[in-house]
Amino acid sequence: MVYMFLKRYVVGPVVNAAFRPEVRGLEHVPAEGPAILASNHLSVSDSVFMPVAVPRQVFFLAKADYFNSPGVKGRVMAAFFRAINQIPTDRTGGRASAKALSAGGRKLQEGELLGIYPEGTRSPDGRLYKGKIGVARIALETGAPVVPIAMVGTDKVQPLGTKVPLPRAGTRVVTVFGEPLDFSRYRGRQGEHALLREVTDEIMHAIQALSGQVYVDAYAADRKKQLAEQKRQETKQAAGEFVDHAKDRARSAAQSARQAADSLAHRDRPAASDDDAPRSTAP
């Protein structure tokens, strides 16, 4: 109820008026019945532009952090996400993650649309990263078709680190829906890891064909850790170089001060007179 109200009368009109986003292939999203909407993930605003483009409600697997943040702000955020029927997802793996995936499966069994970002997190550099097998597990568990989606331009209107998307000259946000992928022939085989990997890779390649992104056979989360460690090392190196430079300047200043003091002492020392010269004692 809250979701559709916001979509139709608040968020949708604002987004369409401010950004004039382009939508392609919307006919591939079923008008009724279950489907998994599997998208690349460039920006937080992906979760705004894609649902605005789809006439039906999309249920997303949302980070558990959105529901567990402390304080008043955290409680307001959790209430908002519950009001729009988003599903908390524990990303630590194991039973907690499996429970969240099962909740997504229940939504599909109820005939709803389920939105998933197979990469698991936003791309740190605009490339398409290896998908996690959760999307395949739900597809094989439910038999629901998978609609690949490419978000284009969202990382330009809302780059990493910015809080809200803003229109930018020369940038057009495009949402591209591809033809549904049918994995119903594998239904019930969600326990076969090799098959899950194969299905996930097929979904990711379908997304890549729509987005034109460079594909990286590694997880985005691992790449983010590498970048964070690289930044930490660069910061550490820069700090070390700053300290060394400060020490060099301090030594140079101290040396200059000593030289100045010696020069002053030499200048103030009385000059030797003739009376001070040694006298001859020759007979």
Side-chain angles (χ1 to χ4, degrees):
M1 186 69 175
V2 174
Y3 176 99
M4 295 307 292
F5 175 83
L6 291 174
K7 171 183 163 59
R8 289 174 180 170
Y9 304 111
V10 182
V11 179
V14 170
V15 167
N16 289 325
F19 296 91
R20 299 188 180 281
E22 181 179 348
V23 180
R24 303 174 188 167
L26 187 58
E27 68 274 9
H28 295 310
V29 179
E32 58 183 20
I36 298 170
L37 307 183
S39 173
N40 62 335
H41 200 11
L42 297 174
S43 166
V44 172
S45 61
D46 294 332
S47 297
V48 175
F49 287 97
M50 191 264 275
V52 165
V54 179
R56 299 172 57 190
Q57 177 168 355
V58 181
F59 292 80
F60 277 96
L61 294 177
K63 287 193 304 183
D65 295 349
Y66 293 153
F67 299 83
N68 302 327
S69 299
V72 175
K73 182 179 178 181
R75 289 195 294 272
V76 171
M77 182 185 298
F80 171 75
F81 277 95
R82 290 191 181 95
I84 60 175
N85 298 322
Q86 303 303 282
I87 304 168
T89 305
D90 191 316
R91 298 184 179 182
T92 58
R95 292 183 178 180
S97 294
K99 184 178 179 181
L101 292 176
S102 295
R106 286 195 294 274
K107 283 299 175 187
L108 290 169
Q109 289 171 353
E110 294 170 4
E112 304 289 358
L113 296 177
L114 182 68
I116 296 179
Y117 299 114
E119 291 168 278
T121 186
R122 285 168 288 165
S123 171
D125 52 21
R127 297 184 294 176
L128 183 68
Y129 282 81
K130 185 176 182 179
K132 296 188 175 183
I133 61 174
V135 61
R137 181 175 287 115
I138 295 181
L140 270 57
E141 176 189 347
T142 63
V146 179
V147 178
I149 302 172
M151 302 302 303
V152 180
T154 52
D155 55 333
K156 302 297 190 299
V157 299
Q158 189 180 11
L160 287 173
T162 58
K163 293 184 178 181
V164 296
L166 295 173
R168 297 179 187 273
T171 298
R172 186 82 176 271
V173 173
V174 183
T175 305
V176 186
F177 298 91
E179 294 186 8
L181 304 174
D182 182 8
F183 300 106
S184 59
R185 61 191 180 279
Y186 301 132
R187 187 169 186 176
R189 296 174 60 184
Q190 63 268 22
E192 301 178 28
H193 187 275
L195 179 59
L196 293 177
R197 184 73 265 161
E198 179 183 339
V199 168
T200 302
D201 289 344
E202 183 175 342
I203 294 170
M204 299 310 295
H205 289 314
I207 294 172
Q208 182 194 22
L210 298 173
S211 69
Q213 292 170 276
V214 173
Y215 180 75
V216 181
D217 191 24
Y219 292 118
D222 292 339
R223 178 57 178 159
K224 284 185 174 181
K225 289 179 183 178
Q226 292 173 357
L227 292 173
E229 176 61 21
Q230 180 180 334
K231 185 175 181 179
R232 189 184 72 82
Q233 292 295 339
E234 290 175 352
T235 301
K236 182 178 178 181
Q237 180 179 352
E241 291 175 352
F242 177 80
V243 171
D244 291 342
H245 183 62
K247 288 180 178 179
D248 289 341
R249 291 185 63 182
R251 283 194 292 266
S252 178
Q255 183 178 0
S256 297
R258 285 195 298 270
Q259 291 174 346
D262 292 344
S263 177
L264 183 62
H266 180 74
R267 187 186 66 186
D268 293 342
R269 185 181 302 125
S273 64
D274 291 342
D275 294 338
D276 294 329
R279 297 181 180 277
S280 173
T281 57

